[in-house]
Amino acid sequence: MSAEIISGTQMRKEILAELEREVVEMKEKYGKGPGLVTILVGENPASISYVTLKVKTALNLGFHEIQDNQAEDISEEDLLALIEKYNNDPDIHGILVQLPLPKHINEDAVITAISPDKDVDGFHPVNLGKMVIGGDQVRYLPCTPAGIQEMIVRSGTETSGAEVVVVGRSNIVGKPISVMMGQKGPGANSTVTMVHTRTQDLASHCKRADILIVAAGVPGLVKPEWIKKGATVIDVGVNRVGVNEETGKAILSGDVDYEEARKVAGKITPVPGGVGPMTITMLMKNTVKSAWWHLGNAK
Ligand code: NAP
């Protein structure tokens, strides 16, 4: 039996349709919808394509969207002042600064300058702290981990009491998803092991996993024989493994040997079309959440 495919592309459609309905309801109730500003510094091609996709998605949902492009040589001081302007703009509910930033700008200073109330990327230390505390404290979850958890839940995978193994301990994926899956509450309550390059016998940990989340950035790292029969496998890795000679586009692969893993796993995410489409979707979800909060609390 081949594993059920958890399609991020399909889930994105479902979630965006849900958000679109919320935006209509919000406009009826408050006379305005969510406001998102995307700040792009410089002309990094990958950043341009991410921002373009974010802007397009926001506009399709009916957001008030500002794309604020700044020159590569903007000073840190001017960028912080720009963020402060949007912190004080009542029509803006989410502020996104596309990373990475040019070397002369301190990314940590920029992330902490964004009001935690408008930090829809979920990277501000205040929001990360609230995520760790859990429960009612949680405000904005970082988008990729939020997308992973949403995929696990929507795929009907039982998380309570499940053995979850997370490969990778980065601040944007491995660490937060490990904390989130171990929280007390729905879509979590799992027993979590986080593994990394210093872990002894990676395979034995992976083999125990009912839910295996892989975010290492190493193509083919997880072998099919490391996967427990029937496990849910979430492959976060996005690796360029070649170029399609006809289209000139990059050939992408995950961290899991997908074709072989499908024969063992119960459910699995593909690359591309798995976790990738969920990240921007969660950014939109956070922005809608922020707008409800701000509009509901407006004086
Ligand atoms: P990262 O910052 O490079 O961290 C990689 C983590 O994996 C590190 O903790 C590292 O361990 C661990 N690791 C690397 N090789 C390993 C090995 N052979 N055995 C065990 N652990 C190993 O990566 P990231 O930012 O989390 O991204 C991971 C992957 O996810 C990348 O392919 C990235 O492109 C992708 N990604 C996708 C999305 C999306 O789809 N939306 C979003 C973010 C990231 P150490 O800590 O010991 O070095």
Side-chain angles (χ1 to χ4, degrees), residues 60-81:
N60 282 343
L61 285 172
F63 286 14
H64 163 58
E65 162 69 39
I66 297 175
Q67 185 176 357
D68 195 333
N69 290 359
Q70 295 293 326
E72 178 92 20
D73 62 357
I74 185 175
S75 68
E76 184 177 310
E77 195 186 354
D78 285 352
L79 183 59
L80 295 179

Side-chain angles (χ1 to χ4, degrees), residues 144 167-170 172-174 195-198 202 215-218 221 236-239 255 275-276 279:
T144 300
V167 183
R169 55 177 167 182
S170 71
I172 61 165
V173 189
V195 298
H196 44 77
T197 55
R198 306 299 163 92
L202 197 60
V218 180
L221 173 67
V236 191
V238 180
N239 307 294
D255 291 348
V275 176
T279 300

